[in-house]
Amino acid sequence: MSHNVLIKNVKITSLDAIKRAINELKAEGVNVAFAEQATFRTYAGQPNKCDFAIVLADQRHDIGLVKQPDGSYLPYYDPYGMKHDGSDVSCKLDSGLRDERVAIGKLLQRYSTCVAEDELALAGHAVVREQGKDGEIVLTAEYA
């Protein structure tokens, strides 16, 4: 039995931005990939239907992106059964994190940053991204 969680408060509206966010995390050493596949893995490897998947190769579970009537995608994942032994696990997206909800938050934070950069650039503004002292992402826009 799966215990899938639907994240309703974040809509993925740009597949390009989620792919960039994944590639940024991959460049930081996270074993994560975007896949155009119709299922994602949950409890005991059970396949669940999705439109795209965020594959977490070091985990037993993935994240599914399920298309909504408005054209956006909502992320689904199964937080149960993920490794909790303290090892460096890709789903944690950071070896210091101990809670998968924080990991999903980091992925969605990176996605939101990419979307904001795209929107500001479309409006003709120059954008500078910096890392804050507590790990937060700081965007500075120079208005055109």
Side-chain angles (χ1 to χ4, degrees):
M1 178 175 111
S2 286
H3 302 87
N4 290 346
V5 174
L6 167 63
I7 303 174
K8 292 183 179 180
N9 60 343
V10 176
K11 289 183 177 184
I12 306 297
T13 57
S14 170
L15 292 178
D16 288 337
I18 196 72
K19 289 175 186 177
R20 278 199 334 274
I22 289 168
N23 287 334
E24 287 179 15
L25 293 171
K26 189 184 297 187
E28 294 172 15
V30 177
N31 193 2
V32 60
F34 182 87
E36 295 187 21
Q37 61 190 47
T39 62
F40 66 104
R41 298 171 299 149
T42 60
Y43 179 77
Q46 294 173 337
N48 285 264
K49 292 182 181 181
C50 65
D51 295 283
F52 299 100
I54 299 171
V55 178
L56 304 166
D58 297 336
Q59 286 291 321
R60 291 179 285 186
H61 303 167
D62 299 317
I63 300 167
L65 299 179
V66 178
K67 192 167 188 173
Q68 302 301 298
D70 66 0
S72 67
Y73 298 86
L74 293 181
Y76 282 79
Y77 74 104
D78 184 347
Y80 293 95
M82 299 215 176
K83 294 181 183 177
H84 293 280
D85 62 0
S87 61
D88 187 8
V89 174
S90 68
C91 185
K92 290 179 175 38
L93 304 182
D94 178 318
S95 60
L97 298 177
R98 298 287 178 248
D99 186 332
E100 285 77 20
R101 290 171 294 186
V102 174
I104 300 301
K106 184 172 182 176
L107 173 64
L108 295 178
Q109 175 200 42
R110 194 65 62 95
Y111 164 75
S112 298
T113 299
C114 291
V115 168
E117 289 171 330
D118 289 350
E119 292 297 320
L120 287 165
L122 280 173
H125 308 302
V127 182
V128 176
R129 183 195 301 192
E130 297 174 319
Q131 190 77 28
K133 66 179 181 173
D134 294 324
E136 72 274 10
I137 296 173
V138 178
L139 293 180
T140 305
E142 294 182 16
Y143 291 95

